[in-house]
Amino acid sequence: QVHLGESGGGWVQAGGSLRLSCAASGGTFSSGTMGWFRQAAGKEREFVAVFRWSGGGAVYADAVKGRFTISRDSAKNTVTLQMNSLKPEDTAVYYCAATTSRLILSRVRDGEAYDYWGQGTQLTVSS
């Protein structure tokens, strides 16, 4: 059974940095897609960033482009989201998502395309 384990959330002041990690167990995503969505209080879940393995590379939401960097460790079945220059509007619960499919670009932002989800980790950015 696939399990996505998230770590690294917490509290940080605006302008600071944090790193989120997601480790997958019970399955391999070496040909799939793995990344992050977030949901702020009272808002819908939104796409943040994903990594499409097997040559697809990283895809970012416009809101985080230039500030967040997603990377992956194939051997450890892990993706990491380095978040810099954090803003209060980045405050949300961040969810790791994964699918064994290498999603086409037009689908990476669609949460319905992902088969597995983590439990979520809270990020709070204070002004």
Side-chain angles (χ1 to χ4, degrees), residues 35-109:
W36 298 90
F37 286 70
R38 68 187 181 186
Q39 187 167 20
K43 296 187 177 181
E44 293 187 353
R45 181 180 63 194
E46 66 174 357
F47 167 76
V48 176
V50 295
F51 199 97
R52 295 186 299 161
W53 299 25
S54 298
V59 183
Y60 298 95
D62 289 344
V64 307
K65 198 173 297 183
R67 300 187 297 121
F68 291 10
T69 302
I70 189 169
S71 59
R72 59 72 168 120
D73 184 327
S74 301
K76 297 181 179 179
N77 229 12
T78 299
V79 291
T80 298
L81 186 68
Q82 177 65 43
M83 305 180 291
N84 299 328
S85 302
L86 284 163
K87 305 176 181 179
E89 51 263 45
D90 294 319
T91 295
V93 177
Y94 283 70
Y95 295 93
C96 180
T99 174
T100 55
S101 301
R102 183 181 177 280
L103 297 177
I104 58 175
L105 194 56
S106 61
R107 291 216 68 200
V108 297
R109 293 172 174 81

Side-chain angles (χ1 to χ4, degrees), residues 2-6 22-25 29 34-35 77 96-99 115-120:
V2 173
H3 173 72
L4 301 181
E6 301 144 332
C22 176
S25 60
F29 298 91
M34 195 167 170
N77 229 12
C96 180
T99 174
D115 302 307
Y116 307 102
W117 292 85
Q119 78 283 357

